[in-house]
Amino acid sequence: MRIVGLTGGIGSGKSTVSNLFKAHGVPVVDADVVARNVLKKGTGGWRKVVAAFGNEILLPSGEVDRPKLGQIVFNDPDKRQLLNRLLAPYISTGILLEVFKLWLKGCKTITLDVPLLFESNMDKWTKPIIVVWVDPQTQLERLMSRDGTTAEEANSRINAQMPLDLKKTKADIVIDNSGSLDDLNEHFREALADVKRPLTWAEFGLCRDGALVAFVSILCSVIVCRKVFL
């Protein structure tokens, strides 16, 4: 099984690339979706976060006010690290569960869409690693346009994450999204060709079909040995 790591930065266009993978038949496990699920009212993650940040982060319905919580942690590195520590075990478990579901379906290649791929050490699970990169000025302008924020607010959110230039040095594949949508599609097609190359024997052995082949091979060997020695 090939597990592709996909990451980027806020405003880099990672979600657009994630959607392109889905459109081309590559299943995606989205860490943001998993994170939303582990913060639902009554879950273990919800209880941990409410205990740490107080009831003021809750909506009248009892659900977490995610924009309010985001504003708190983006402006306070210590609180951001605390939130990551509280939710990391739940998010990791949720991601593993989604990967296992896709394994059971026989998927041979999947994509892990994880904003904090390197920070959470999930890059160790994935190969190749794809970073969606954009130049700093374009990133700032896109984020301001998307969220309607000031330059100061946008820079605060950008600086709360690992720099894209640093992520770029850790990547196996870099998708440059500084240009037009047509440019992005071209860069994506090049990356997709690499992602869809034939599985190595090691990768095949990790997928469901590979496990079945191994099981049948072992079973046949046992039967043959029994016939030889009986």
Side-chain angles (χ1 to χ4, degrees):
M1 189 177 195
R2 177 172 296 148
I3 303 179
V4 180
L6 175 65
T7 192
I10 188 168
S12 68
K14 175 183 63 63
S15 295
T16 301
V17 173
S18 182
N19 288 331
L20 285 171
F21 272 115
K22 294 175 190 175
H24 285 79
V26 180
V28 174
V29 175
D30 190 332
D32 283 341
V33 173
V34 174
R36 284 195 290 272
N37 289 335
V38 303
L39 262 184
K40 285 184 177 178
K41 182 180 177 180
T43 61
W46 178 88
R47 287 192 290 270
K48 292 275 190 180
V49 169
V50 172
F53 291 89
N55 290 333
E56 58 267 24
I57 64 166
L58 297 178
L59 295 166
S61 64
E63 296 289 351
V64 172
D65 186 337
R66 292 175 60 85
K68 185 173 184 178
L69 179 60
Q71 188 175 19
I72 292 170
V73 300
F74 267 119
N75 294 320
D76 189 324
D78 291 335
K79 290 182 178 178
R80 185 166 63 250
Q81 290 178 11
L82 172 60
L83 180 65
N84 289 338
R85 285 199 306 271
L86 292 173
L87 293 182
Y90 298 98
I91 294 174
S92 296
T93 301
I95 288 174
L96 285 172
L97 179 60
E98 294 303 313
V99 170
F100 182 63
K101 289 178 182 176
L102 292 171
W103 183 88
L104 288 176
K105 291 180 179 179
C107 296
K108 294 180 175 60
T109 301
I110 66 171
T111 298
L112 289 190
D113 178 351
V114 187
L116 302 179
L117 185 73
F118 299 113
E119 297 89 333
S120 61
N121 292 320
M122 289 186 187
D123 56 304
K124 296 176 182 178
W125 302 356
T126 63
K127 189 73 176 180
I129 295 170
I130 298 176
V131 169
V132 183
W133 181 88
V134 66
D135 68 79
Q137 185 59 37
T138 301
Q139 183 182 21
L140 178 64
E141 291 172 357
R142 286 180 181 171
L143 186 57
M144 291 171 61
S145 175
R146 188 192 74 181
D147 295 347
T149 58
T150 64
E152 183 179 2
E153 291 170 334
N155 271 316
S156 176
R157 300 190 71 184
I158 291 171
N159 293 333
Q161 299 183 333
M162 181 186 290
L164 272 176
D165 283 343
L166 177 56
K167 290 186 177 184
K168 185 178 180 180
T169 65
K170 298 173 178 287
D172 298 303
I173 300 171
V174 176
I175 295 180
D176 186 346
N177 189 26
S178 300
S180 66
L181 185 58
D182 287 340
D183 292 333
L184 174 61
N185 284 324
E186 179 60 31
H187 295 319
F188 172 77
R189 281 192 291 271
E190 294 171 359
L192 184 64
D194 190 43
V195 166
K196 286 198 167 185
R197 72 186 189 280
L199 298 183
T200 64
W201 281 110
E203 290 171 329
F204 179 72
L206 291 173
C207 70
R208 186 197 65 182
D209 292 350
L212 288 174
V213 168
F215 174 76
V216 171
S217 298
I218 293 171
L219 183 60
C220 290
S221 298
V222 170
I223 292 172
V224 169
C225 287
R226 283 175 60 87
K227 288 182 177 180
V228 168
F229 291 106
L230 288 178

